[in-house]
Amino acid sequence: MRNVRSLPSYQTYDEIRWNREREYKQAADNIKRLNDAHDRWMTETISLAVEKVEREQGRVPAPFTFVVMGSAGRREQAIWSDQDHGLIFMGSNMMYKEYFLRLGEEIREGMAAVGYPRCEGKVMASHPRWCHSAGEWKEQIDDWIQKDEWATLRHLLTFIDARALLGERMLLNRVKSYVFQQIAGNPCLLGRLAENTSRLQQATNAFGKLLTEEKGPYTGFLHIKDVGLFPYIHAMRLLAMKEGIHETSTLERMKQTAAQYPFVHAKIQPFYTLLNLRASFWEHHRTYEDVHYIPVRTLSKDRKKRIKTALQQGKQLFQQTKKVIESGEK
Amino acid sequence: MDPIFLMNNLWVIMGFILVILMQGGFILLEAGSTRMKNAGHIAGKTIFTLGIASLVFWAVGYGFVYGTSAGGVIGVSDFFFGDFTTIFDGLAGSVDFIFQLAFAAIALTIAFGGFAERAKLAAYVVFAVLFSAFVYPVVAHWVWGSGWIAALGKQDFAGSTVVHLTGAMAAFAATLLLKPRIGKFNKDGSPNELAGHNQVYTALGVLLLWVGWFGFNGASTFGVDDAFFGFAILNTQLAAAAGAVAALLIAWAALGKADVPTMLNGALAGLVAITASAAFVEPWAAVIIGAVGGLAVFYSMKFFEKKGIDDPIFALSVHGAAGIWGTLSTGFFATPELAAMNGGQAGLFYGGGLTQLGVQFISVAACGLFAFIASYVLLLVTRSLIGGLRVSEEEEIMGLDISEHGSYGYPESISASVKKVNTGA
């Protein structure tokens, strides 16, 4: 994680976008390289946004950390990805909040200019729900847990994938540790969170054929994120919450829990298979809308077989995880 | 008066009323399966084309079907029907006439499934006249009049071929000439969902058709002797049930979703399929016939879409594919006793060999081909008479309610964006 003061290296968002457009092809087929590059582009954008807001409104009034969530939080971004982010700052002055919300707006606009579409669900630091002091974050987490509604639990799950991209990482660690404490003290909560994500999209039909889109421009394509990646992501997020693991990457979560939960180990390779499958089609992906679609008809029989196995393994992983969580409730 | 004669006539009039009420089923089915901006048009056209079909059938249609046969090809007498003294098929002539009229109108409504959401109103008017005069009556004469197919011993109890396949072939010709609706297919040929605006209407439409079918098949016994109509109705109910269940299960198994429109089409396919065979097969066979109809409709819908054919109401699959299967099914399942009662021979599975199946096959091929070619030619005639079958691009986008009739079926619900097209440059 770089410090905001050594950046930005660019004068405008357009320059960052041009740089991104030049660089992404070299990184597109490798998940790690690609996510390192995303981190770089996003950090540059945020730094530039900070500089702009500081010019307008004076220096940042308090230490803060800028966190990314969703696929960016998990370091699983494809070449095109939307925005999911938030802010945690120190102190509780209302003036700070106004300042950081303004910063959130500037970051939102900057990231959009660099090529990260705005989040339709408004998971962005410009929204009051995702921009708080550390103390307010804890209050909001209490509120989410107390309300115990589908939407508030979904917010909590989103937050658990938060990763500090820039600024004071310990602010995030403090809030996350608070979440883990709440989970440890509330045995039913994990079950509710498991329930929240238990709707798994069917991957194959009754005849064992991959279920692709039936209509629209993606007819015959498989949505690899909805059908394949989500069961792994949801399962490992739940185990990470259970075990108080701060790591956000699904693969890292797998590695850290495999010793304690032997069934996890066998799922690492299939998850890789799916991530690599998506990366291998990067040349077909021109926009954020099509970034998770795989043209099934172009796949060899053998590759389809491997994908089907990986899809089954993901479903199994989720079911096994759910069982572990349910047994912990008893 | 002989009470049985009276009951026979009352029963058939009851059947007529039920079959006319099926038009209400089509109104709901078609309106629900299409978009809001065309709902008033779809509903309204069904009523006025029922009017056209009635007038044309009275003037010439009935005569072409049941008049004195000219070489087994077409009837040439009994035009402008109105003789209250005649007795036909053991019924008062007027009763027989009015029952037959209802069938002709159903065939026309099926044909218009291929017109949905893009044909000019004038095309409906002209083709309604031409189809009711020159397509339906010819096929009906061949099979139900003194035509050449009837002479072969064809089994088509209530019209899987005569009504449903004939209507479907006209719909096929129309959909080929009209081309797909705007936005139905992408440049690479992949289809888009142009979802119907109200599945509740569609489901109610199917239920209304289902009930109406008891008149369609039940009253095709033309009498109450031995209450045999109950058997035809039993088979009808079982086939519809099996069609709905089979279509639901295959959609669920193949798509991972229990698609509602497919299930509804399955029920209709079961009904269409059993229409030919309701009086010829045992109930267990009716279940199989309906179930195969339900499966066939699912694959047929996928097939036509894959071929780039836009069939908004699924007329080709529900009435065409299931109509063909239903007609062939008696060639497999007709029992010797029921064939002896109702005509033709036993089917393949009852020791009848390939004879009846061959007759059924020939009749499907001949009637289907004739209905397609005649409709295609008559649609070309219609096109030249009215200067094109299809509304303009702008009219199609604004919707046929406003472009063809000047008012919306749902005036309060049409979005500002659609209205804007109407007031644009």
Side-chain angles (χ1 to χ4, degrees):
Chain A
M1 193 166 58
R2 295 173 72 177
N3 191 290
V4 65
R5 297 294 161 214
S6 62
L7 295 172
S9 323
Y10 302 93
Q11 303 296 311
T12 65
Y13 297 127
D14 282 346
E15 282 178 40
I16 304 174
R17 194 183 76 235
W18 296 329
N19 183 53
R20 180 185 172 178
E21 283 165 4
R22 268 197 308 276
E23 285 183 3
Y24 83 88
K25 287 181 185 168
Q26 279 85 55
D29 62 349
N30 182 294
I31 292 290
K32 187 182 174 308
R33 266 209 310 271
L34 180 63
N35 278 272
D36 286 346
H38 274 303
D39 279 4
R40 221 170 38 246
W41 301 322
M42 289 190 293
T43 309
E44 289 285 1
T45 308
I46 297 148
S47 305
L48 189 55
V50 170
E51 196 179 79
K52 281 184 93 171
V53 174
E54 282 191 331
R55 267 205 307 272
E56 271 173 29
Q57 313 213 349
R59 294 208 30 140
V60 174
F64 73 98
T65 183
F66 179 84
V67 301
V68 283
M69 292 171 271
S71 59
R74 296 187 301 271
R75 285 181 52 82
E76 287 159 11
Q77 280 173 292
I79 49 169
W80 306 110
S81 174
D82 73 341
Q83 302 182 35
D84 287 299
H85 47 74
L87 260 163
I88 308 170
F89 53 88
M90 217 179 262
S92 55
N93 189 325
M94 272 313 286
M95 301 284 281
Y96 294 179
K97 178 130 184 171
E98 273 177 41
Y99 185 97
F100 284 110
L101 278 171
R102 167 70 197 107
L103 176 59
E105 278 173 19
E106 185 56 40
I107 291 171
R108 180 191 67 202
E109 295 309 309
M111 286 186 70
V114 170
Y116 297 94
R118 290 174 191 82
C119 171
E120 284 180 13
K122 297 195 168 56
V123 183
M124 293 180 289
S126 55
H127 190 284
R129 184 184 293 135
W130 301 102
C131 178
H132 295 295
S133 67
E136 282 176 342
W137 266 107
K138 288 178 187 171
E139 283 169 26
Q140 175 161 279
I141 280 155
D142 286 339
D143 187 50
W144 284 346
I145 295 170
Q146 252 173 21
K147 275 192 178 148
D148 190 26
E149 290 167 2
W150 188 88
T152 60
L153 296 183
R154 188 49 70 99
H155 296 328
L156 187 59
L157 289 163
T158 305
F159 177 74
I160 283 300
D161 285 350
R163 177 171 64 92
L165 188 65
L166 195 128
E168 307 295 333
R169 185 201 296 257
M170 58 84 181
L171 285 169
L172 174 64
N173 288 348
R174 221 184 280 164
V175 180
K176 271 202 185 178
S177 297
Y178 183 73
V179 177
F180 295 145
Q181 276 171 25
Q182 301 308 305
I183 288 168
N186 185 350
C188 293
L189 181 57
L190 260 185
R192 289 282 295 137
L193 293 169
E195 197 54 44
N196 190 279
T197 47
S198 63
R199 179 185 165 263
L200 302 182
Q201 279 208 26
Q202 202 175 325
T204 53
N205 70 9
F207 312 113
K209 195 172 159 248
L210 286 168
L211 276 172
T212 56
E213 296 291 317
E214 281 284 310
K215 298 273 163 64
Y218 302 108
T219 302
F221 285 63
L222 183 75
H223 195 284
I224 198 68
K225 189 175 186 184
D226 285 355
V227 172
L229 300 178
F230 270 146
Y232 289 91
I233 292 167
H234 293 329
M236 296 320 301
R237 187 193 293 120
L238 290 167
L239 279 188
M241 290 173 97
K242 185 171 187 298
E243 299 306 324
I245 294 168
H246 283 257
E247 186 56 62
T248 53
S249 143
T250 304
L251 280 167
E252 280 304 318
R253 284 169 170 171
M254 283 173 151
K255 286 172 190 165
Q256 290 193 26
T257 51
Q260 196 176 348
Y261 301 100
F263 61 83
V264 171
H265 193 262
K267 311 297 190 294
I268 295 174
Q269 192 52 46
F271 185 65
Y272 253 132
T273 302
L274 296 180
L275 281 180
N276 287 333
L277 173 74
R278 184 182 67 181
S280 69
F281 280 95
W282 70 269
E283 280 174 297
H284 294 250
H285 300 149
R286 309 234 180 283
T287 64
Y288 172 59
E289 281 71 35
D290 59 23
V291 82
H292 299 295
Y293 283 106
I294 305 298
V296 168
R297 64 180 171 277
T298 64
L299 301 174
S300 67
K301 211 172 167 184
D302 182 53
R303 205 162 181 204
K304 276 189 209 166
K305 204 173 152 191
R306 269 184 287 138
I307 293 167
K308 280 183 208 170
T309 308
L311 298 176
Q312 279 163 2
Q313 295 280 312
K315 197 173 169 187
Q316 217 178 63
L317 174 67
F318 187 83
Q319 283 161 347
Q320 287 165 320
T321 303
K322 209 172 163 209
K323 253 189 206 162
V324 166
I325 283 160
E326 281 163 359
S327 67
E329 279 181 291
K330 283 168 194 164
Chain B
M1 182 183 279
D2 175 15
I4 291 295
F5 176 76
L6 188 61
M7 282 176 70
N8 286 344
N9 280 279
L10 276 173
W11 171 236
V12 174
I13 282 293
M14 171 86 91
F16 158 71
I17 293 167
L18 284 169
V19 177
I20 289 292
L21 270 178
M22 285 171 72
Q23 296 288 353
F26 277 114
I27 288 175
L28 287 170
L29 170 75
E30 293 187 12
S33 306
T34 50
R35 288 163 293 178
M36 258 184 168
K37 61 184 179 180
N38 300 315
H41 159 79
I42 290 270
K45 69 85 188 156
T46 308
I47 298 296
F48 82 73
T49 55
L50 171 62
I52 293 174
S54 303
L55 296 173
V56 174
F57 193 75
W58 166 72
V60 295
Y62 186 83
F64 285 152
V65 180
Y66 292 107
T68 310
S69 186
V73 177
I74 194 160
V76 289
S77 64
D78 298 321
F79 300 119
F80 298 96
F81 185 87
D83 182 357
F84 65 86
T85 63
T86 56
I87 300 291
F88 196 90
D89 273 347
L91 298 171
S94 59
V95 172
D96 181 68
F97 169 86
I98 202 80
F99 188 55
Q100 299 297 343
L101 178 153
F103 280 61
I106 293 286
L108 179 65
T109 301
I110 293 165
F112 283 145
F115 282 52
E117 299 201 288
R118 60 219 195 275
K120 284 180 183 171
L121 190 71
Y124 282 97
V125 175
V126 175
F127 190 68
V129 173
L130 297 175
F131 178 87
S132 301
F134 303 116
V135 183
Y136 175 80
V138 174
V139 176
H141 179 78
W142 289 0
V143 180
W144 286 344
S146 311
W148 67 276
I149 290 176
L152 296 176
K154 154 101 188 237
Q155 293 165 337
D156 189 9
F157 182 61
S160 284
T161 295
V162 176
V163 178
H164 295 281
L165 182 59
T166 302
M169 285 296 116
F172 187 30
T175 203
L176 289 182
L177 284 168
L178 281 162
K179 307 275 188 305
R181 291 165 292 172
I182 294 170
K184 176 60 194 173
F185 294 103
N186 299 308
K187 280 183 183 155
D188 63 359
S190 58
N192 292 314
E193 181 80 61
L194 299 183
H197 83 279
N198 193 328
Q199 280 189 0
V200 180
Y201 277 9
T202 310
L204 275 173
V206 169
L207 187 70
L208 202 49
L209 284 164
W210 187 325
V211 173
W213 231 284
F214 298 141
F216 201 93
N217 287 0
S220 288
T221 55
F222 293 107
V224 297
D225 286 355
D226 303 324
F228 185 68
F229 60 82
F231 186 77
I233 287 175
L234 167 65
N235 278 346
T236 303
Q237 177 72 6
L238 292 176
V245 173
L248 180 96
L249 292 179
I250 189 66
W252 206 349
L255 308 174
K257 299 271 185 226
D259 184 55
V260 170
T262 303
M263 179 273 293
L264 296 173
N265 285 334
L268 292 179
L271 289 163
V272 169
I274 202 64
T275 296
S277 47
F280 294 100
V281 301
E282 294 193 61
W284 68 265
V287 173
I288 291 175
I289 291 167
V292 173
L295 298 178
V297 85
F298 171 77
Y299 287 106
S300 174
M301 285 160 66
K302 286 177 83 72
F303 170 79
F304 283 116
E305 194 163 72
K306 212 171 176 180
K307 293 287 166 198
I309 293 166
D310 183 17
D311 182 17
I313 321 284
F314 307 107
L316 310 186
S317 300
V318 169
H319 301 278
I324 290 170
W325 158 241
T327 307
L328 295 177
S329 72
T330 69
F332 294 106
F333 295 104
T335 72
E337 299 78 16
L338 291 167
M341 259 175 77
N342 295 299
Q345 295 183 26
L348 181 65
F349 299 150
Y350 286 87
L354 294 170
T355 314
Q356 191 61 42
L357 189 60
V359 171
Q360 299 303 103
F361 181 81
I362 290 167
S363 72
V364 160
C367 296
L369 209 61
F370 169 79
F372 176 76
I373 294 169
S375 298
Y376 198 93
V377 171
L378 293 173
L379 282 163
L380 292 176
V381 171
T382 306
R383 187 168 75 180
S384 65
L385 284 174
I386 63 173
L389 294 171
R390 187 165 175 157
V391 294
S392 71
E393 194 176 355
E394 187 181 15
E395 288 167 328
E396 190 175 334
I397 290 167
M398 71 171 68
L400 276 70
D401 280 8
I402 201 75
S403 80
E404 302 300 278
H405 306 278
S407 60
Y408 283 111
Y410 296 98
E412 289 88 2
S413 306
I414 293 294
S415 71
S417 62
V418 174
K419 282 188 172 167
K420 223 187 231 171
V421 177
N422 192 25
T423 55

